[in-house]
Amino acid sequence: MNYRHIYHAGNFADVLKHAVLALVIAHLKRKDTPFRIIDTHAGIGLYDLSREEAQKTGEWHDGIGRILADSPPPEIAEILAPYLEVVHAENVAGSHGPLQRYPGSPVIARRLMRPDDRLVVNEAHPADAAALTALFAKDRAVKVLALDGWTALKSLLPPKERRGLVLIDPPFEEPGEFRRIVEGLAAAHRRFATGTIMIWYAIKDDRAVRTFAREAAELAIPKVLSAELLVRAPLSAGGLAGSGLIIVNPPFTLESQLAALLPYLAERLGQGKGAGDRLIWLTGERVTNP
């Protein structure tokens, strides 16, 4: 995968990640007290799908493109509503026509926040950090950083609001990313034990993913939910076959929402034999052996 997310904006992995992000934020808004969202690997925030990079891969056609072309059953439509409202809002007059722009996690978070909530976005890539800074230049509710994502994580926790969401979305371009995630998760939970921590991961090698799940479970964090979406079976040659989310302290409503959403996404976004989904508790609730 190319680190710069413009190549992958709106793909199947984004659909899962951003739909869940929107659901978690919606749950945080049930209480009146302010919260903070921290996005450690934020990208540029908003993606022009007419750009050469997005056109080169066209991944959004098999992701958000398929979702927008469908008419999901009412239960699924309700679950997807917070996410899709932002997608529509970033296009012409909320048009349901051809997609022009795709909102990344910073824009989704910003649109769903309330006036007293705060957002911190971090991006290490210099050009992308500059684009992110320009996007939020006049927004006092958003702080932009240009640090290594794992360094930023250490410096930003705990938030002064003592409630909120941490989104960790590493690029998976270097060896050892799963080990860094486990170490980062342990450190983040020590600093912010009551917060919701959401970590995205790539599924290329199923054995590596299962090892990662066991190591995450061995941290003995009280409540850890894992949600995975496969669009095809992993291949020996590699390549992105699916993606997953580790969610620490998930909202109590999230398990049932994902139990309905994941099979729908697997059916709608599947690209070949082996498409499917997996929803398990690594720790807490009903623990399942990963």
Side-chain angles (χ1 to χ4, degrees):
M1 294 181 67
N2 188 294
Y3 174 76
R4 302 191 70 189
H5 197 67
I6 182 61
Y7 290 92
H8 314 290
N11 70 358
F12 72 87
D14 268 1
V15 171
L16 173 62
K17 175 175 58 184
H18 293 151
V20 176
L21 172 65
L23 289 171
V24 173
I25 295 173
H27 185 82
L28 285 169
K29 289 161 65 175
R30 291 187 174 193
K31 290 186 178 180
D32 293 335
T33 51
F35 57 81
R36 183 168 300 229
I37 301 170
I38 298 169
D39 190 343
T40 63
H41 300 74
I44 64 174
L46 186 61
Y47 299 90
D48 180 354
L49 297 178
S50 69
R51 279 181 51 175
E52 180 181 354
E53 298 93 333
Q55 290 290 319
K56 183 177 181 180
T57 61
E59 290 187 17
W60 71 270
H61 291 286
D62 286 329
I64 186 61
R66 291 192 188 183
I67 299 300
L68 294 179
D70 194 30
S71 297
E75 179 187 14
I76 301 302
E78 182 179 358
I79 293 170
L80 288 173
Y83 163 53
L84 294 183
E85 284 170 6
V86 178
V87 174
H88 290 310
E90 288 299 333
N91 288 275
V92 178
S95 170
H96 289 245
L99 205 62
Q100 300 164 345
R101 304 197 301 177
Y102 183 79
S105 51
V107 168
I108 291 172
R110 185 63 187 98
R111 279 197 172 270
L112 294 175
M113 285 163 44
R114 303 163 303 184
D116 290 338
D117 302 323
R118 293 294 178 264
L119 172 64
V120 180
V121 291
N122 178 80
E123 175 52 51
H125 191 286
D128 288 359
L132 198 61
T133 299
L135 181 64
F136 293 113
K138 298 181 180 181
D139 195 332
R140 294 184 179 181
V142 182
K143 181 178 182 179
V144 180
L145 301 175
L147 306 173
D148 170 78
W150 302 108
T151 300
L153 184 66
K154 294 177 182 178
S155 66
L156 293 170
L157 296 178
K160 68 177 183 179
E161 295 85 356
R162 299 288 172 168
R163 64 185 301 257
L165 167 66
V166 179
L167 174 61
I168 303 171
D169 180 13
F172 278 87
E173 279 205 322
E174 299 179 7
E177 200 73 87
F178 278 128
R179 170 45 46 189
R180 282 188 287 273
I181 289 177
V182 172
E183 294 171 353
L185 175 57
H189 185 259
R190 283 196 299 270
R191 291 176 169 85
F192 192 28
T194 59
T196 297
I197 303 169
M198 190 169 123
I199 304 178
W200 180 89
Y201 58 92
I203 300 177
K204 301 178 182 180
D205 178 347
D206 192 61
R207 181 179 298 178
V209 171
R210 301 282 71 81
T211 298
F212 161 63
R214 287 194 296 272
E215 291 178 352
E218 288 168 1
L219 294 175
I221 295 171
K223 289 187 178 182
V224 182
L225 183 65
S226 170
E228 295 181 349
L229 172 65
L230 284 166
V231 295
R232 60 170 174 79
L235 302 176
S236 58
L240 190 66
S243 71
L245 295 169
I246 291 284
I247 308 146
V248 175
N249 295 326
F252 70 90
T253 54
L254 189 61
E255 182 184 13
S256 62
Q257 290 171 323
L258 285 174
L261 179 63
L262 285 171
Y264 167 78
L265 294 180
E267 187 277 330
R268 193 71 188 91
L269 303 181
Q271 298 177 14
K273 186 177 180 180
D277 65 277
R278 182 180 174 94
L279 180 64
I280 63 172
W281 286 95
L282 299 183
T283 61
E285 300 297 325
R286 296 175 295 280
V287 178
T288 307
N289 187 343

